């Protein structure tokens, strides 16, 4: 199975900060990567697919990049609504679909 | 608007069974594969099972293979997860999720999720 590793596990930031989360795959996954946002007590919500395609309705301050084994999710200017946990997911070799362990973005 | 409404979570004893349901609306249910994903409270996401649009392709995580059975009823726009021989380590929130395509295969992600339902396995 492909292992997905996110860093950092926790990120403390302020409103207006630029935030970058990294996701690394244990082998090349081309651009078959999705990013999800999850708020406490809620289901994950798809933000980005195919490494860089923003889902409809997702604010443009979110962006994704990367290919192969290294990917990033960037929030250009953190909004209060963005404090949440973010997960990457590979779908290059599936099943099984595998997720990173999550990155919690908390208020500094 | 896509809606996935889940039901069936409960407290059950080890070794017992439970069936989860996921009622879909807002899209053509029988065009898409569906999945179950679980999350131990406070932990990460684990894919559990997937089923293609016509139930012709079904897959399971090794951790549940032989104990869990996924099924769907396209006439009722519903997805199910039958969980047998439950173990304490199966305790988690269970989410149903809609695939972006009809088959259970590489190259597709999950574009809508149910609200989740808690399964607690404890004596």
């Amino acid at each position: 199975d492909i292992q997905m590793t996110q860093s950092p596990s926790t990120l403390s930031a302020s409103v207006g900060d630029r935030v970058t989360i990294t996701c690394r795959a244990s082998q090349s996954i081309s651009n078959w990567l999705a990013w999800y946002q999850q708020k406490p007590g809620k289901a994950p919500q798809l933000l980005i697919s195919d490494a860089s395609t923003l889902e409809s309705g997702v604010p443009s301050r979110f962006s994704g990049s990367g290919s192969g084994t290294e990917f990033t999710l960037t929030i250009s200017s953190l909004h209060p609504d963005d404090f949440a946990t973010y997960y990457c997911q590979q779908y290059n070799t599936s099943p099984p679909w595998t997720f990173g362990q999550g990155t919690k973005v908390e208020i500094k | 608007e896509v809606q996935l409404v889940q039901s069936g979570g409960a407290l059950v004893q080890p070794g017992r069974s439970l069936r989860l349901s996921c009622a879909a609306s807002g899209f053509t249910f029988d065009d898409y594969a569906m999945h179950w994903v679980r999350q131990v409270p406070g932990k990460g996401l684990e894919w559990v099972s997937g089923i293609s649009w016509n139930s012709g392709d079904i897959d399971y995580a090794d951790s549940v293979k032989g104990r869990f059975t996924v099924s769907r009823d396209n006439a009722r726009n519903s997805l199910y997860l039958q969980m047998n021989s439950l173990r304490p380590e199966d305790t988690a929130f269970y989410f149903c999720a809609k695939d972006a395509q009809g088959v259970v295969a590489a190259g597709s992600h999950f574009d809508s999720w149910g609200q989740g339902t808690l399964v607690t396995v404890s004596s």
Side-chain angles (χ1 to χ4, degrees):
Chain A
D1 298 354
I2 296 178
Q3 308 302 314
M4 306 300 292
T5 304
Q6 290 181 230
S7 60
S9 295
T10 305
L11 189 160
S12 297
S14 302
V15 172
D17 284 353
R18 181 181 181 89
V19 165
T20 299
I21 298 168
T22 297
C23 177
R24 290 185 173 86
S26 59
Q27 64 188 73
S28 177
I29 58 170
S30 185
N31 69 330
W32 298 122
L33 184 103
W35 289 98
Y36 300 88
Q37 178 193 67
Q38 187 179 33
K39 296 180 180 178
K42 300 295 186 182
Q45 178 184 350
L46 178 66
L47 298 176
I48 288 169
S49 60
D50 299 347
S52 60
T53 301
L54 203 65
E55 290 300 299
S56 175
V58 175
S60 59
R61 62 181 179 273
F62 290 92
S63 64
S65 65
S67 66
T69 61
E70 188 154 337
F71 303 84
T72 58
L73 172 69
T74 299
I75 309 173
S76 60
S77 179
L78 204 61
H79 280 211
D81 191 48
D82 300 338
F83 292 97
T85 300
Y86 294 85
Y87 293 94
C88 61
Q89 176 206 34
Q90 70 81 23
Y91 47 99
N92 177 75
T93 303
S94 48
W97 286 259
T98 50
F99 297 85
Q101 81 280 15
T103 296
K104 184 178 181 181
V105 177
E106 59 180 25
I107 300 173
K108 191 172 184 179
Chain B
E1 179 193 3
V2 172
Q3 283 202 316
L4 299 171
V5 178
Q6 299 182 227
S7 60
L11 168 64
V12 295
Q13 294 179 327
R16 302 299 292 265
S17 298
L18 194 65
R19 189 195 199 204
L20 305 183
S21 299
C22 173
S25 61
F27 65 101
T28 305
F29 183 69
D30 55 11
D31 277 350
Y32 295 95
M34 297 292 295
H35 301 267
W36 290 97
V37 177
R38 68 185 180 184
Q39 183 174 38
V40 173
K43 302 297 183 183
L45 300 164
E46 178 190 17
W47 173 80
V48 171
S49 181
I51 183 169
S52 64
W53 66 278
N54 64 351
S55 304
D57 188 13
I58 290 174
D59 285 288
Y60 299 97
D62 289 344
S63 57
V64 306
K65 203 169 291 184
R67 300 186 299 122
F68 288 13
T69 301
V70 64
S71 62
R72 64 190 294 162
D73 184 340
N74 286 345
R76 296 179 182 272
N77 288 347
S78 292
L79 173 72
Y80 306 100
L81 186 66
Q82 177 68 42
M83 302 184 293
N84 298 333
S85 303
L86 281 161
R87 304 168 179 169
E89 54 265 36
D90 295 319
T91 294
F93 287 97
Y94 284 74
F95 297 97
C96 60
K98 172 185 169 292
D99 199 297
Q101 63 184 25
V103 295
V104 178
S108 189
H109 53 280
F110 309 158
D111 59 12
S112 297
W113 297 61
Q115 85 276 16
T117 189
L118 180 61
V119 173
T120 303
V121 184
S122 175
S123 53

